[in-house]
Amino acid sequence: MTLLMRVTKFEHAALRVDLEGRTLIIDPGSFTLPLDDLSHVVAVVLTHEHPDHWTNEHLDRIREAVPNVPVYGPQGVANAAGGYDIIVVNPGDTVTVEPFTLRFFGGRHAVIHESIPVIDNVGVLVNDSLYYPGDSYAVPKGVAVDLLAAPIGAPWLKIGEAMDFVLAVAPRRAFGTHDMTLSVIGHTMHHARLKWATEQGGGEYLPLEPGGSAEI
């Protein structure tokens, strides 16, 4: 029997991926409530250094549950999180932490403004099926994405560009993430835009709320 991978969305940018009784955590940051049930975590991915994608408190909670859990991120994360042993990954790298295979893409954060330095950022593809770009529009070229976690609200995000990103990836299914900066009206509008973009490639859009999940 083939076990399905369950992807759960939490507040803002945090994702939990469960497979075969083991867990991967992605981007637990300052807009995300404390996560629980952490004893089966086998890896953490931090796409970049901004605090809405990681905090000391989240890492400490995870490491309290699993002291030696590996944490992967680009060099900027390693520099920012100096008190933690961050395993540096770069675009093109592949890491296997059973039962998860992680492939990394991109390299740079989307531009917020010319006055703000552009930092390191990696998108992560999990088991060649779930893709999350972090704060970027990096497309995993040559990959048939089954489930796309698509950013829908940010200081760097224009909804038309987010729509173009979804059109370029053409996932089988997609849901919105990176959304705590949006009002209720903004959520509704941006979900509708990404739903349209997903459907242009024949895909299905899932309007997941925190705690909602999808299976692959």
Side-chain angles (χ1 to χ4, degrees), residues 10-207:
F10 290 94
E11 295 84 6
H12 198 54
L15 303 177
R16 175 188 178 114
V17 186
D18 290 292
L19 179 62
E20 298 178 3
R22 283 164 282 186
T23 300
L24 168 70
I25 300 292
I26 302 173
D27 280 3
S30 57
F31 300 153
T32 303
L33 295 175
L35 305 176
D36 57 13
D37 190 19
L38 299 172
S39 61
H40 301 293
V41 175
V42 295
V44 178
V45 172
L46 306 178
T47 61
H48 64 284
E49 66 198 70
H50 286 158
D52 58 325
H53 291 257
W54 81 278
T55 66
N56 299 84
E57 291 79 10
H58 278 297
L59 286 189
D60 288 345
R61 282 175 61 86
I62 295 169
R63 286 239 161 120
E64 182 178 350
V66 186
N68 296 316
V69 66
V71 180
Y72 299 94
Q75 185 61 53
V77 170
N79 296 342
Y84 301 90
D85 183 16
I86 305 297
I87 301 171
V88 174
V89 289
N90 297 290
D93 288 351
T94 298
V95 173
T96 298
V97 185
E98 292 293 344
F100 303 107
T101 298
L102 312 174
R103 295 171 60 192
F104 296 95
F105 295 84
R108 304 299 284 169
H109 192 287
V111 174
I112 301 171
H113 186 263
E114 62 182 10
S115 66
I116 300 174
V118 178
I119 61 171
D120 296 333
N121 178 94
V122 290
V124 60
L125 179 70
V126 183
N127 287 7
D128 286 331
S129 55
L130 166 69
Y131 182 63
Y132 174 55
D135 282 11
S136 81
Y137 299 122
V139 175
K141 294 182 179 179
V143 177
V145 173
D146 195 341
L147 183 62
L148 173 66
I152 66 172
W156 50 270
L157 186 147
K158 178 181 177 181
I159 193 59
E161 295 173 348
M163 293 165 71
D164 285 340
F165 168 68
V166 174
L167 289 168
V169 176
R172 189 171 74 85
R173 292 177 295 167
F175 65 94
T177 186
H178 206 284
D179 53 5
M180 288 293 282
T181 60
L182 295 177
S183 67
V184 173
I185 293 173
H187 271 94
T188 301
M189 292 175 59
H190 288 203
H191 280 310
R193 297 289 185 247
L194 293 198
K195 180 177 185 292
W196 176 89
T198 304
E199 291 174 347
Q200 300 316 294
E204 177 189 7
Y205 187 76
L206 310 174

